[in-house]
Amino acid sequence: MFRLAGLATSVSCKRGLTFTTIAAAARSDKSSMRLFAHSSTATQTQAQTHPQAHHTQNDDNFQDKSAPLRADIKLLGRALGDTIRARDGQATLDRVEELRALSKAWRRNGTGESFDALVAAVHRLDATQMHSVARAFSHFLALANTAEQHHRERRRRSARIQEAAAHAPPPNPLSTPTGFGASAPAKALEGAQPGMLNSTTAAGVLRELTQGSAPGFDQPAPVVVDANAVFETLCDSTVELVFTAHPTQVHRRTTQRIFVSVAAALAQRDRTELPEEIAAAEDDLRRQVALLWTSDEVRREKPTPVDEAIAGLHVAEQVLWEAVPRYLRSLSLRMEQLLGRPLPHHLSLFKFGSWLGSDRDGNAFVTPDVTRDVILRGRWMAAELFYHDVDALYYELSVTSCNEALQRHIGKQTVAEPYREVLRVLREKLRLTRDLARQQLQSLGQSSILTHGGAYSPHPAETATQAGSLPASSSSRSDASPSLVTCSNDILEPLELCYSSLVDVGLANVAQGRLLDTLRRVRVFGSALFHWDIRQESTQHAKALDAITRYLRLPVSYGKMTEAERVAFLTAELESSRPLIPFAFTRDPAILAWLREQFPEDANMIVDVIDTFQMISEQHPEVLNAYVISMTRDPSDVLAVYLLQKAANVRVPCRVVPLFETVNDLDNCVGVMRRLLDNRAYRRIVNGFQEIMIGYSDSAKSAGRVAANWAIFKAQQGLVTLFEDANVRLRLFHGRYVSMGLV
């Protein structure tokens, strides 16, 4: 078998790419490479195309753990070959088959003659033929990757079935159901991977912690941890995954959906033994392969920051929305089995952050308007998804009895269906919130910011203001409407009342169904699906403060201050009660004219920085997660962001996260943070908690991976010691990137 970390989404007609693609296919498993069989799939027997049927005819072959995978790849290869023949003709398929045979011969023989024959065959292709051949091999590799991912899940599932059977008590013949309605026991796939459920899964980790793991080279004897300690530690943990935008590593959502459908059809084919259902699943596979071959692999327009954010929101909607509660339900079951207690219903363990549409470091197209837009889209999508969840709960919870707390919340003496009354009100709030967000998006859509990717506007707040923005929060805005959802608590509180009431009246099993899944979604996704980080480079803040101090005619402008003078100035301003600048600083035509005259090259950037903090002041604190400062090198870099938030009247400041990413910055980060910890204004603001981001890419590029990893290790070790001594909680944010294929 072969494994590819990523698949190219664009196909070039250059011979180099064509040869590379063919060579990659040649390195595949020999039997799996029979990808474009000339015989039609209609003539294949069930035993040849279905793993379970194949098992009945050839037990020895089925013992090979890869046999079902090879069957899947052959089926997909035949479907692709049939599609190529039908769409591009037999001649195209013959060329692909010729190159496949030559590449296999070179792989088998390793001789110069074999290689020369393959190169000569590639050189005989014209540009159009080369394009078709490259697409054929590229699509086959992508389909084979999908089949392999499905096979891993198939083997993991089989391992879980075997594990459950091994730990299950012996059946009681008096209580085991028989006859009509009795379910057959789940069957495990022979050849399930040993150790599949080890430390790579939650169940494996919990079992190793509480029951001991096998001794290793650095562990002479198993170590057993008390189950209560494991439970408390797990409940006190939170994992936050942050989505970032890397346009060079993304795939089209169109092709991603096709591969998801292929995996679903393979799974459906595994779950049934009925011939008509097997045939239907294989028909669906052939349809998806035909769609893949006839769809464009690349975007013809450069994605905008809004496009990237929409792609991330679709991942939340189409994948995470169902996966998160399902995983938490599975984890809770494992905790109950291995630790004696399930996951408490009020804990989620997960959060999702986002830099999509809010990472402006080096990206001039990410403006305050763009960030407003993507946050608004997140709120609209969250309201839409929660609306459907609450609507389903409304029709499910027809229960007539409730506790006193729920009755008091309703405020009526006689309500036949109290849960539906509460859910009806919440559903209406979600509908109004969703509709208002949609209206705002439609209004914003008339501007160039959405249609052309972000030409700079000197007045970024005006569009949202004219559209009638969603209120920031009922606690920070006096005009907040009680009929709208402004934060997750507006959804959480009525649902918690329903949950507690159901438990109190003896319906805990009902409360722990759909309602519990919705409660967990609220805690994970909040009111905007993601918690957005703002990121900007440190020198941009310094330029903005230099412009402000020059406009205020201070004796020494910020740009000419020493580091000690900057820290003294920032500390004094943070402790002062007067505002640093007028609230509408960048909306004054005279000030804008002065900025463009004094800073002809940086005026737009300065306005953008100041307006970004104005945008932050408009958002609910729940929506914005942190402000990350790239290239943090001095204490003033951190204090400057706190001062700019104060100047913009941000009532609940975003936590400021310094990012240390070069080797020099990693070496100096402990000293920078020590000086900050000695600053009285800083200690008051952070209130005993600091998050620090550790960068990986820049340090590796400048010093190499070994030196970079050593610098990262030393930095983390020094920071942990420093903050422990200062009695300040420290959280490390690791900037290691994995491509998700979003666009």
Side-chain angles (χ1 to χ4, degrees), residues 259-280:
F259 290 127
V260 169
S261 298
V262 168
L266 290 173
Q268 175 60 28
R269 185 167 165 267
D270 282 348
R271 286 194 295 265
T272 183
E273 295 182 359
L274 294 176
E276 60 271 24
E277 292 182 354
I278 295 171

Side-chain angles (χ1 to χ4, degrees), residues 709-730:
N709 284 331
W710 178 243
I712 289 169
F713 171 76
K714 290 192 300 180
Q716 292 180 91
Q717 195 174 48
L719 289 170
V720 168
T721 301
L722 173 66
F723 279 85
E724 282 182 350
D725 293 343
N727 196 28
V728 175
R729 290 175 56 226
L730 172 66

Side-chain angles (χ1 to χ4, degrees), residues 6 27 50 96 119 130 170 217 256 295 331 419 424 459 473 548 613 664 709:
R27 290 192 293 270
H50 194 254
V96 172
V119 172
M130 197 173 297
F217 70 93
Q256 290 290 83
S295 298
L331 176 63
Y419 301 92
R424 180 189 62 79
H459 306 293
S473 73
I548 290 171
F613 288 96
N664 287 337
N709 284 331

Side-chain angles (χ1 to χ4, degrees), residues 406-606:
L406 189 65
Q407 186 65 53
R408 287 195 303 270
H409 176 79
I410 296 171
K412 298 179 181 179
Q413 294 299 321
T414 56
V415 177
E417 296 174 327
Y419 301 92
R420 284 185 169 176
E421 178 66 20
V422 173
L423 294 169
R424 180 189 62 79
V425 174
L426 177 57
R427 183 178 60 179
E428 180 63 11
K429 286 185 177 182
L430 288 165
R431 185 191 67 80
L432 291 172
T433 304
R434 177 198 64 188
D435 292 349
L436 178 57
R438 184 189 294 119
Q439 292 171 13
Q440 291 180 245
L441 286 170
Q442 290 172 347
S443 176
L444 286 170
Q446 304 302 315
S447 68
S448 62
I449 198 73
L450 295 182
T451 56
H452 300 296
Y456 179 76
S457 168
H459 306 293
E462 291 182 0
T463 306
T465 303
Q466 293 169 359
S469 299
L470 284 169
S473 73
S474 56
S475 60
S476 62
R477 290 280 299 271
S478 59
D479 59 342
S481 171
S483 62
L484 294 175
V485 171
T486 59
C487 64
S488 59
N489 278 339
D490 293 340
I491 309 173
L492 201 60
E493 289 175 1
L495 295 181
E496 281 285 4
L497 282 170
C498 292
Y499 184 92
S500 299
S501 178
L502 288 169
V503 172
D504 288 347
V505 299
L507 293 174
N509 58 336
V510 175
Q512 292 164 4
R514 189 192 302 271
L515 178 57
L516 179 57
D517 287 346
T518 303
L519 282 168
R520 284 173 170 162
R521 285 186 179 119
V522 177
R523 289 189 166 91
V524 170
F525 296 105
S527 60
L529 291 186
F530 292 140
H531 305 276
W532 265 268
D533 290 351
I534 307 295
R535 187 169 79 131
Q536 181 58 281
E537 205 263 335
S538 60
T539 59
Q540 310 299 347
H541 308 128
K543 290 178 181 179
L545 284 170
D546 184 53
I548 290 171
T549 53
R550 286 174 61 178
Y551 177 80
L552 296 175
R553 298 183 179 181
L554 296 187
V556 180
S557 68
Y558 191 83
K560 295 182 179 180
M561 293 179 185
T562 65
E563 174 61 19
E565 290 172 333
R566 287 185 175 187
V567 170
F569 165 74
L570 294 167
T571 302
E573 289 296 330
L574 284 168
E575 294 181 335
S576 172
S577 59
R578 64 174 177 80
L580 177 65
I581 56 175
F583 183 72
F585 184 79
T586 57
R587 300 183 203 172
D588 187 324
I591 295 177
L592 288 174
W594 179 85
L595 285 171
R596 292 193 172 94
E597 178 184 349
Q598 297 295 319
F599 305 92
E601 296 182 358
D602 294 329
N604 284 353
M605 180 277 300
I606 291 169

